[in-house]
Amino acid sequence: MKATRFGRNAAIAVLAVGALALTACGSDNATNTPAATQTTAGVKVTGTLTGIGSSAQGAAMDAWKTNFASANAGATVQYSPDGSGAGRKAILDGSAQFAGSDAYLTDAELASSKTKCGPDGAINIPVYISPIAVAFNIPNVKDLKLDATTVAKIFRGQITNWNDPAIAALNAGVTLPDLKVTPVNRSDDSGTTQNFTDYLAAAAPSVWTDKAAGLWPASLKGENAKGTSGVVKTVTDTPGAVTYADDSAVSGKLGTAQIKVGSDFVKISADAAAKAVELGKPVAGRTTGDLSIKLDRTITDSSAYPVVLVSYHVVCTTYDKQETADLVKAFESYVVSDAGQQAAAGSAKSAPLSKALQDKAKAAVDSIKAKA
C-alpha cells in the first residue's frame, strides 16, 4: 500500500480537479461555468490564502493546494507545516488566515480568537482523520503487538531494551533483539504529541502520570526532532529507535505496532481510525459551527484504532474583507468535499470524513462571513 498510494496521486488529482466544478461551490453553483470562475454566490476568487500549522496534514495539504490552484486561476494557497501550536498562534495573532491543527482550540484560545476573528471568534472544522503510528526501527522486525501500558513504559524510559519481558510476553514467536530502545519525541509544540499523550494518559494512567499536552514532558529523557518528518528521519537513521507519527509519513524500513483494544490487537488503518472518531463525542459548550471532537481513548471496540488524530482547519467566523472570506470559503468547501477528502486519502492514507460530519463541516464553512 505504501508503494502504490503515490502512484495513484496523479489520477486522483485529475479527478479531484474535474470534480471541483461540482463540489467546491456547494449548492450555490447554479451554472456549468468552469470552477475557476466560481465560489460561494458565483464570485471568482483570486489572491493568496496563508495557512500555518500541522505537519501531519502536509501530504494532504500538498494535494489540496495543487488541486485548488489548478481549478481557480489566480488563487493560491500557501501553507507552512510549522506545527499545530505555531498554527494556532498564527490564527490568534492574525498572521495567517487559517491554521492547521491536530488539536482543537482550548476554551482560552477560543476566547482570545475574538480579537482577530470577530465577536464569534474562530471555529474548528475537522478536515483530516488519520491514525498515529507507533513506528520503530528494529532490524528484521516489522510488526509488533503492544498495549497502552507497554507503550507508556517505552516512552517514559522504563523499558530500555527491545527484548524486555513485557514486550516478549505480547509477541510470542517474534525474535526480539538485544537492542537498546531509543524513544524519539517531537521537539515542537505538536498536535500529534497532544493526541498521543492524551491516549497514554487515558489508557495507561498508572504509568503516564503527565497530563496530555502538545509539548513533550521536559523531565523525560530521549532523542527529539522537529516535525513529523524530523522524528521519522531520526528513527529511520537509528536502529532501536521508536516514535509516534502520522501514518502517512511512515515507510521504508520502519515497522508499526498493533495496539491492544479490549482483548484484541488492532492493526493501524484509516478505517479503524475513522471508527474511533465515529465513537467520539462533540466537545461540550462549543458554538454550533465549532465541530471539535472529544475522542474516547479507552474504547473496547476492536474495530477502532484509538491512537488517532482529528486534524482541523481553524478559521475565523468573520474576516475583515469579503475577498478573504470568499477565498477561505472556496478553499475549505473544496477541502471538505468528496473530491477534497478523496485527494487527501490518496495522498496521505487518511480516512475521509463521514457523510454526517462532512455535511456539518460544509454548513460551518458556509457560515463564514466578512465584516458588514
Side-chain angles (χ1 to χ4, degrees):
M1 181 174 179
K2 296 181 192 293
T4 59
R5 64 185 178 90
F6 292 104
R8 299 197 305 270
N9 286 359
I12 291 172
V14 170
L15 291 172
V17 171
L20 277 172
L22 299 176
T23 60
C25 308
S27 59
D28 294 314
N29 177 10
T31 72
N32 290 320
T33 51
T37 65
Q38 298 168 359
T39 178
T40 302
V43 178
K44 180 180 179 179
V45 291
T46 59
T48 299
L49 187 62
T50 300
I52 297 173
S54 163
S55 60
Q57 282 188 35
M61 279 298 310
D62 286 344
W64 290 332
K65 291 188 303 179
T66 299
N67 295 348
F68 184 75
S70 295
N72 291 274
T76 303
V77 179
Q78 296 179 341
Y79 184 76
S80 298
D82 298 335
S84 296
R88 294 195 303 277
K89 182 178 182 296
I91 191 73
L92 295 179
D93 67 19
S95 58
Q97 281 96 39
F98 75 97
S101 180
D102 306 332
Y104 52 77
L105 295 181
T106 64
D107 289 344
E109 287 172 329
L110 281 174
S112 176
S113 72
K114 295 179 181 180
T115 301
K116 296 292 183 180
C117 292
D120 296 322
I123 52 176
N124 302 276
I125 301 176
V127 296
Y128 178 81
I129 296 169
S130 185
I132 299 170
V134 177
F136 53 84
N137 180 354
I138 306 175
N140 303 315
V141 177
K142 294 297 289 281
D143 186 34
L144 283 179
K145 296 176 178 178
L146 298 173
D147 58 22
T149 298
T150 304
V151 174
K153 288 181 177 179
I154 287 171
F155 281 91
R156 291 199 78 86
Q158 296 175 9
I159 289 177
T160 59
N161 199 292
W162 283 110
N163 64 2
D164 187 280
I167 300 176
L170 298 170
N171 293 276
V174 178
T175 301
L176 297 168
D178 181 7
L179 179 66
K180 176 186 175 184
V181 174
T182 302
V184 180
N185 63 269
R186 290 278 291 270
S187 61
D188 51 323
D189 189 345
S190 158
T192 308
T193 300
Q194 174 78 38
N195 281 275
F196 184 61
T197 56
D198 186 50
Y199 164 72
L200 295 178
S206 63
V207 177
W208 196 266
T209 53
D210 294 281
K211 292 182 179 180
L215 291 171
W216 192 255
S219 61
L220 299 183
K221 297 180 180 179
E223 300 293 324
N224 63 73
K226 184 177 180 180
T228 301
S229 59
V231 294
V232 169
K233 183 179 188 306
T234 299
V235 174
T236 301
D237 294 343
T238 311
V242 58
T243 194
Y244 55 93
D246 187 273
D247 190 42
S248 66
V250 178
S251 62
K253 67 173 69 173
L254 301 188
T256 56
Q258 298 181 42
I259 299 297
K260 192 171 186 180
V261 178
S263 58
D264 298 318
F265 288 89
V266 180
K267 289 185 177 181
I268 191 167
S269 72
D271 287 344
K275 181 64 177 180
V277 174
E278 180 186 320
L279 296 172
K281 296 180 179 180
V283 174
R286 299 298 171 101
T287 63
T288 301
D290 188 281
L291 301 178
S292 305
I293 300 169
K294 177 64 176 175
L295 299 169
D296 182 357
R297 306 296 189 176
T298 60
I299 50 179
T300 57
D301 185 334
S302 60
S303 66
Y305 181 87
V307 198
V308 61
L309 63 83
V310 179
S311 202
Y312 302 85
H313 279 177
V314 185
V315 299
C316 289
T317 53
T318 305
Y319 286 89
D320 288 339
K321 298 180 179 179
Q322 186 65 52
E323 294 82 357
T324 304
D326 288 341
L327 188 53
V328 172
K329 292 174 75 171
F331 178 62
E332 298 300 345
S333 292
Y334 163 59
V335 167
V336 303
S337 72
D338 288 337
Q341 289 296 295
Q342 290 303 320
S347 298
K349 300 185 292 182
S350 59
L353 301 178
S354 68
K355 180 64 167 59
L357 190 54
Q358 191 178 33
D359 288 346
K360 291 178 181 178
K362 183 60 169 67
V365 171
D366 288 344
S367 72
I368 297 168
K369 58 185 181 295
K371 286 183 179 179

